[in-house]
């Protein structure tokens, strides 16, 4: 699904990374010198490509060697993302990585009013810029990104990000819309801008049946696609333009193009060999319809009048469309943990196993942090999915007699397509892009034929990983948690990644990059490290955008 970037900064990141990738690969091989040259020329504004502002600050504070490391980290991170998720790295994820690299600079420290340290293999300095933190921040963001999430950088000072949702709304009660009604997505397209109004007329009856009279009224508000609200604003109509339809065919029309007051209507219709003369009037000054049919039309006849508003005589009826922006606040929350080792354990593990418990502890923290955040989003997605559920009866006990499993899974396309279309209508933006499955469904999908399944090539692992692409559209991930399986039943969690940040069901961002702070050695000779991060992992507060999740319950798998 193509990505749209309505933020100038995000669009600049997209342009920058596209040019950096193009210039840094020569003959299919990474060329560090070419990458450095491109970056130097971009900084000097001689390439026409702007270096993102926050990346520029990080590079300004770094020496040439460190700047080269940062550039390589960006390219390596993008490569890992593409290999892991089978898609190009989105610009908002790259922007988030650059934001976190900036958060490690002295400029950001001054704005935060605090000092955060990091560790290197050489030791630490509580006040110095640690260039490895920028590299680690970039790599961690790109390699641990949640595939269906969008990222929104948070302000370092306030730990707050603002999410702005732009909508288009009707400015008045007019046509098929009431004042304030949203006109985006599936809500778009009903009568509003058009001057045409349509009304299905009433065939008047008495005890003997239809009398021949046909009545109705054209007004400013189209209550349904075929009826006007009789109590709505009276309109002025174009004289001589009204049409009368019978079962969708034009059978009569207004014949007076000039004059005042009611205007004559004339025509005829044939039903089952009987010719019915249509006469009467339409009043262009108030929209009143008073027709007659001789002989009377049957009560089941569908008589509809189409008329057109005269804006020259009633300019005050000209419709308005209002562009509105709703702003939501997202606040970062802290994450923290510590790890400790005694001097005996550190020396014994180093001497006997060649391991550094300090480094291993930090790696364990980082892994837990990334996994915990991913599962948190999946749990939230499963709760949101309760509004869009569908069942898929695999019925293997009966279908297995004449179908293969791959034949049955082909039928699954219709079910996921249904929830995807419902999602597109409710979000006003997108359908399903990602599927999360458990062990049994994952195993079956990996055995599907190549015409409906494209394997990722990723070897099985104990955590979340990408299995492949189903039906050429849906990226499928295995998850050992959250997605439930029991007996012959299984869940398929469906999530849609929006075309832009503001419309995504989940919005993530970091105010402070994940930071390792070495802890002082105490009197008991214990040493360790503290881990700190401050971010938000939020369901989109804009309710239509939060509906980008669905759940398919698969039954009778075996």
């Amino acid at each position: 699904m193509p990505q749209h970037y309505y933020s100038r900064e995000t669009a600049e990141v997209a342009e920058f990374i596209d040019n950096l990738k193009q210039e840094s690969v020569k003959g299919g091989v990474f060329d560090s010198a070419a990458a450095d040259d491109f970056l130097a020329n971009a900084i000097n504004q001689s390439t026409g490509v702007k270096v993102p502002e926050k990346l520029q600050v990080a590079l300004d504070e770094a020496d040439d060697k460190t700047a080269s490391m940062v550039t390589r980290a960006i390219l390596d991170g993008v490569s890992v993302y593409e290999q892991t998720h089978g898609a190009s790295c989105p610009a908002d994820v790259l922007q988030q990585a650059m934001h976190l690299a900036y958060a490690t600079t002295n400029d950001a420290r001054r704005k935060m009013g605090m000092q955060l340290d990091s560790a290197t293999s050489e030791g630490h300095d509580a006040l110095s810029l640690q260039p490895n933190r920028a590299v680690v921040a970039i790599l961690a963001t790109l390699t641990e990104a949640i595939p269906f999430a969008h990222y929104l950088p948070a302000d370092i000072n306030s730990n707050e990000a603002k999410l702005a949702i732009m909508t288009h709304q009707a400015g008045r009660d007019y046509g098929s819309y009431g004042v304030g009604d949203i006109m985006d997505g599936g809500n778009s397209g009903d009568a509003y801008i058009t001057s045409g109004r349509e009304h299905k007329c009433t065939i008047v009856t008495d005890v003997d049946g239809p009398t021949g009279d046909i009545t109705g009224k054209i007004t400013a508000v189209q209550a349904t696609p075929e009826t006007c609200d009789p109590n709505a604003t009276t309109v002025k109509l174009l004289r001589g333009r009204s049409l009368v339809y019978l079962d969708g065919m034009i059978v009569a029309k207004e014949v007076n193009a000039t004059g005042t007051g009611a205007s004559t209507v004339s025509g005829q219709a044939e039903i089952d060999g009987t010719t019915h003369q249509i006469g009467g009037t339409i009043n262009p000054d108030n929209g009143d319809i008073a027709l007659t049919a001789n002989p009377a039309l049957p009560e089941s006849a569908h008589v509809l009048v189409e008329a057109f508003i005269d804006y020259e005589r009633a300019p005050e009826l000209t419709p308005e469309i209002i562009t509105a922006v709703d702003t939501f606040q997202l606040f970062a929350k802290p994450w923290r943990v510590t790890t400790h080792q005694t001097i005996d354990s550190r020396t014994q593990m180093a001497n006997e196993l060649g391991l550094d418990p300090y480094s291993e502890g930090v790696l364990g923290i980082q892994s837990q942090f990334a996994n915990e955040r991913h599962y948190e989003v999946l749990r939230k997605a499963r709760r949101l999915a309760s509004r869009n559920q569908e069942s898929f009866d695999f019925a293997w006990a009966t279908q297995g007699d004449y179908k293969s499993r791959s034949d049955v899974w082909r039928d699954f396309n219709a079910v996921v397509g249904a929830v995807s279309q419902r999602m597109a209508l409710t979000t006003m933006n997108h359908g399903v892009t990602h599927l999360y499955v458990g062990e049994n469904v994952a195993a079956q999908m990996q055995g599907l034929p190549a015409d409906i399944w494209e394997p990722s090539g990723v070897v099985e692992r104990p955590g979340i990983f990408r299995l492949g692409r189903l039906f050429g559209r849906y990226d499928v991930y295995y998850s050992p948690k959250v997605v439930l399986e029991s007996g012959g039943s299984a869940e398929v969690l469906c999530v849609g990644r929006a075309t832009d940040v503001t419309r995504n069901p989940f919005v993530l961002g970091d105010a402070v990059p994940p930071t390792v702070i070495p802890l002082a050695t105490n009197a008991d000779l214990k040493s360790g490290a503290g881990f700190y991060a401050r971010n938000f992992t939020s369901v989109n507060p804009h309710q239509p955008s939060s509906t980008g999740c669905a759940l398919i319950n698969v039954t009778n798998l075996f």
Side-chain angles (χ1 to χ4, degrees):
M1 181 177 292
Q3 297 294 305
H4 305 293
Y5 303 115
Y6 299 112
S7 163
R8 175 180 55 82
E9 292 83 0
T10 309
E12 287 176 354
V13 170
E15 182 183 11
F16 170 78
I17 197 63
D18 286 344
N19 283 274
L20 177 60
K21 288 168 61 178
Q22 182 178 352
E23 294 298 325
S24 62
V25 177
K26 304 296 183 182
V29 179
F30 173 75
D31 188 332
S32 60
D36 293 341
D37 287 344
F38 169 78
L39 198 58
N41 291 331
I43 291 173
N44 293 328
Q45 300 181 349
S46 60
T47 63
V49 178
K50 183 178 179 180
V51 178
E53 182 179 354
K54 291 184 176 179
L55 177 62
Q56 178 78 68
V57 174
L59 294 173
D60 286 345
E61 292 193 14
D63 56 28
D64 292 343
K65 180 180 178 181
T66 303
S68 181
M69 291 170 57
V70 170
T71 306
R72 184 61 186 263
I74 293 173
L75 292 168
D76 286 349
V78 168
S79 177
V80 171
Y81 184 97
E82 293 175 350
Q83 292 174 15
T84 302
H85 302 297
S88 298
C89 185
D92 62 281
V93 178
L94 283 161
Q95 185 183 17
Q96 175 68 17
M98 294 175 186
H99 173 73
L100 294 185
Y102 165 75
T104 67
T105 63
N106 286 322
D107 183 69
R109 289 180 180 183
R110 287 190 293 271
K111 292 182 178 180
M112 286 189 292
M114 63 183 297
Q115 299 291 342
L116 294 175
D117 187 28
S118 67
T120 70
S121 59
E122 301 295 330
H124 74 277
D125 181 345
L127 299 179
S128 66
L129 170 68
Q130 294 291 337
N132 70 300
R133 286 188 61 219
V135 173
V136 170
I138 291 170
L139 288 173
T141 302
L142 297 178
T143 58
E144 297 169 0
I146 297 173
F148 56 83
H150 270 296
Y151 290 77
L152 189 66
D155 181 67
I156 289 177
N157 292 323
S158 64
N159 300 310
E160 171 191 358
K162 289 189 177 180
L163 182 71
I165 302 287
M166 185 174 67
T167 59
H168 301 94
Q169 302 173 3
R172 61 172 69 238
D173 293 323
Y174 195 68
S176 299
Y177 297 87
V179 61
D181 283 353
I182 294 177
M183 308 181 78
D184 297 318
N187 299 315
S188 178
D190 293 329
Y192 189 71
I193 297 176
T194 177
S195 62
R197 293 292 180 269
E198 298 175 341
H199 182 74
K200 180 184 177 183
C201 297
T202 300
I203 296 178
V204 180
T205 61
D206 59 16
V207 293
D208 296 321
T211 64
D213 293 335
I214 303 168
T215 62
K217 185 177 180 67
I218 297 290
T219 66
V221 174
Q222 194 83 53
T224 72
E226 290 193 340
T227 58
C228 290
D229 181 358
N231 300 315
T233 303
T234 300
V235 294
K236 306 289 186 184
L237 302 177
L238 290 172
R239 185 175 291 274
R241 294 288 303 277
S242 299
L243 302 171
V244 180
Y245 296 83
L246 176 62
D247 298 331
M249 294 183 292
I250 297 175
V251 295
K253 61 182 65 177
E254 187 183 348
V255 296
N256 299 114
T258 60
T260 59
S263 183
T264 302
V265 172
S266 179
Q268 64 181 25
E270 183 175 323
I271 300 178
D272 296 332
T274 300
T275 299
H276 301 262
Q277 298 298 324
I278 309 295
T281 63
I282 292 176
N283 193 329
D285 293 327
N286 59 21
D288 287 341
I289 301 168
L291 305 178
T292 59
N294 186 22
L297 293 173
E299 189 176 355
S300 61
H302 185 285
V303 179
L304 183 140
V305 171
E306 181 184 22
F308 305 91
I309 297 171
D310 187 348
Y311 288 117
E312 294 296 318
R313 293 201 294 157
E316 70 278 2
L317 293 179
T318 302
E320 299 176 353
I321 293 179
I322 297 173
T323 299
V325 176
D326 295 322
T327 302
F328 303 92
Q329 294 175 298
L330 303 176
F331 294 98
K333 64 182 178 183
W335 300 60
R336 63 169 65 188
V337 69
T338 61
T339 179
H340 297 274
Q341 304 86 31
T342 67
I343 190 170
D344 292 324
S345 65
R346 291 193 69 169
T347 55
Q348 185 174 7
M349 291 181 69
N351 293 335
E352 296 182 10
L353 302 176
L355 298 176
D356 177 10
Y358 176 92
S359 300
E360 295 300 322
V362 171
L363 289 174
I365 290 173
Q366 185 65 37
S367 176
Q368 174 65 21
F369 171 70
N371 292 333
E372 196 170 327
R373 203 174 185 187
H374 203 150
Y375 286 124
E376 177 184 340
V377 176
L378 290 183
R379 288 193 298 271
K380 290 177 177 178
R382 191 174 180 276
R383 288 192 288 268
L384 288 170
S386 62
R387 293 174 177 263
N388 186 4
Q389 292 196 56
E390 196 64 67
S391 295
F392 176 59
D393 187 359
F394 203 82
W396 181 244
T398 55
Q399 295 200 83
D401 293 337
Y402 57 92
K403 283 185 176 182
S404 66
R405 288 192 176 272
S406 62
D407 292 332
V408 183
W409 277 114
R410 291 179 193 276
D411 299 335
F412 180 71
N413 196 10
V415 180
V416 69
V419 299
S420 182
Q421 186 57 59
R422 285 202 295 266
M423 183 185 295
L425 291 173
T426 57
T427 61
M428 299 179 288
N429 184 272
H430 63 278
V432 174
T433 58
H434 294 75
L435 307 178
Y436 281 76
V437 301
E439 178 182 316
N440 290 330
V441 175
Q444 294 199 27
M445 286 191 174
Q446 290 185 92
L448 295 177
D451 61 326
I452 61 174
W453 177 254
E454 179 187 340
S456 67
V458 178
V459 178
E460 286 77 4
R461 58 189 61 178
I464 298 172
F465 69 96
R466 180 173 175 268
L467 294 165
R469 184 170 287 119
L470 182 65
F471 304 129
R473 295 180 55 189
Y474 310 108
D475 286 307
V476 182
Y477 287 75
Y478 164 74
S479 174
K481 301 179 182 180
V482 183
V483 183
L484 303 180
E485 290 188 340
S486 61
S489 300
E491 293 178 346
V492 177
L493 180 60
C494 311
V495 187
R497 192 176 199 274
T499 57
D500 66 278
V501 177
T502 59
R503 292 292 188 174
N504 208 56
F506 303 97
V507 183
L508 279 62
D510 294 75
V512 176
T515 304
V516 176
I517 307 172
L519 302 178
T521 302
N522 300 322
D524 58 6
L525 298 183
K526 281 186 178 180
S527 61
F531 175 88
Y532 181 77
R534 193 159 64 241
N535 59 48
F536 56 87
T537 305
S538 301
V539 172
N540 196 319
H542 179 243
Q543 288 192 2
S545 298
S546 70
T547 60
C549 303
L551 191 68
I552 299 176
N553 298 289
V554 183
T555 58
N556 301 309
L557 270 170
F558 303 105

